[in-house]
Amino acid sequence: MTPIAVGIDVGGTGIKAALVDTSTGELASTRIRIATPDGGEPDAVAAVCKDLLDQLKPPSDARVGVCLPAVVTHGITRSAANISNNWIDFGAEDLLTAALNRKVHVLNDADAAGVAEMTYGAGRNARGVTILATLGTGIGSALFVDKALVPNTEFGHLDIGEYIDIESYASYGAFQRDQISLEQWGKRLEKFFAHLEKLFSPDLFIVGGGASKSHEEFFPFIKVKTQLVPAETKNAAGIIGAATMAVQYL
Ligand code: BGC
């Protein structure tokens, strides 16, 4: 079987895709992007995925991994963040397998980013408990025990202290919305990571998402005991992890 797989990362504003060499974690094509159709309805998203696949021209036996901002159990999407509510309790894997006429594996976007980091990035030598958090419009999370993924953790929706749904207080989206300083944002993130520390006594935190590019500017304000490092696969993490899981799972 070819080690080349297709990774597709569905987000609220854009759907990004590339070919991935899963033997190295390197992209095997340029990254292409099409805007998410208004409303993010399943059929419209599937049509965009087909368009991206046609443009990438993968080998005929290449598998496809698709990650979404949703809880996914056994191919069924169980929630929907910034995409249509019609994804809730919806057979996403069946729809995409039919639309793309390929073997397709569907998973949560932060879980995909976590798999990329644990396989090729900042967590590749990790042992014990690792938590990855993606800082974007929301907060995504991925939990690993000795590199095994515990899927769909959704730590961004924890209620912490007076803050209901911690992502609405500590995400990059909240930082932009509230126009706070990087120090103030760091202190908000500290509440999040300190709470996870209390729950899980992790060995490592990995911070991904667009904001992790400028980690030097806010990491110093997050005072936690656990080692905290930036993600290495940056904004292709979802694509790389989805492709990797498609090869491992199908
Ligand atoms: C969603 C998660 C997703 C995260 C990042 C959250 O709002 O609930 O499923 O992983 O955003 O996109």
Side-chain angles (χ1 to χ4, degrees):
M1 188 185 69
T2 174
I4 303 293
V6 183
I8 303 180
D9 185 350
V10 177
T13 55
I15 304 180
K16 294 168 275 177
L19 300 181
V20 178
D21 181 342
T22 60
S23 63
T24 60
E26 300 289 326
L27 296 190
S29 73
T30 54
R31 205 163 53 108
I32 54 177
R33 177 187 188 277
I34 295 179
T36 306
D38 280 349
E41 293 296 336
D43 283 337
V45 167
V48 168
C49 291
K50 172 84 172 74
D51 195 349
L52 290 165
L53 189 77
D54 290 345
Q55 289 184 42
L56 288 169
K57 299 187 179 49
S60 59
D61 60 341
R63 292 161 176 197
V64 182
V66 180
C67 66
L68 300 128
V71 168
V72 185
T73 55
H74 312 290
I76 313 287
T77 33
R78 301 288 181 189
S79 66
N82 303 309
I83 49 174
S84 163
N85 282 341
N86 288 329
W87 289 94
I88 299 173
D89 295 329
F90 178 79
E93 206 160 272
D94 284 348
L95 170 80
L96 289 160
T97 301
L100 305 182
N101 196 21
R102 298 247 174 184
K103 291 194 171 182
V104 177
H105 180 67
V106 175
L107 74 164
N108 171 263
D109 56 359
D111 284 345
V115 166
E117 283 300 310
M118 297 307 280
T119 315
Y120 316 102
R124 65 188 172 276
N125 297 318
R127 293 280 174 280
V129 177
T130 304
I131 297 175
L132 169 126
T134 62
L135 307 177
T137 315
I139 295 181
S141 62
L143 171 66
F144 295 84
V145 183
D146 283 339
K147 297 222 174 166
L149 171 65
V150 180
N152 298 310
T153 44
E154 296 286 328
F155 294 147
H157 295 293
L158 283 170
D159 300 336
I160 300 177
E162 74 219 67
Y163 306 105
I164 309 297
D165 227 13
I166 192 70
E167 73 172 15
S168 65
Y169 172 72
S171 66
Y172 183 63
F175 163 74
Q176 288 178 309
R177 181 196 63 211
D178 295 346
Q179 301 189 336
I180 52 176
S181 68
L182 286 160
E183 178 166 4
Q184 287 168 316
W185 187 37
K187 291 285 142 220
R188 291 186 180 193
L189 285 166
E190 183 178 304
K191 289 196 175 66
F192 174 62
F193 287 112
H195 189 77
L196 293 178
E197 228 171 24
K198 219 188 280 176
L199 292 176
F200 297 103
S201 302
D203 298 288
L204 179 67
F205 285 128
I206 302 175
V207 181
S212 69
K213 270 180 252 163
S214 30
H215 60 94
E216 284 105 346
E217 293 172 34
F218 63 96
F219 272 24
F221 304 118
I222 308 172
K223 302 250 185 299
V224 285
K225 287 181 253 107
T226 310
Q227 188 189 7
L228 187 105
V229 298
E232 291 176 11
T233 50
K234 306 289 183 232
N235 50 9
I239 292 173
I240 296 169
T244 303
M245 286 295 265
V247 170
Q248 282 176 14
Y249 258 71
L250 290 170

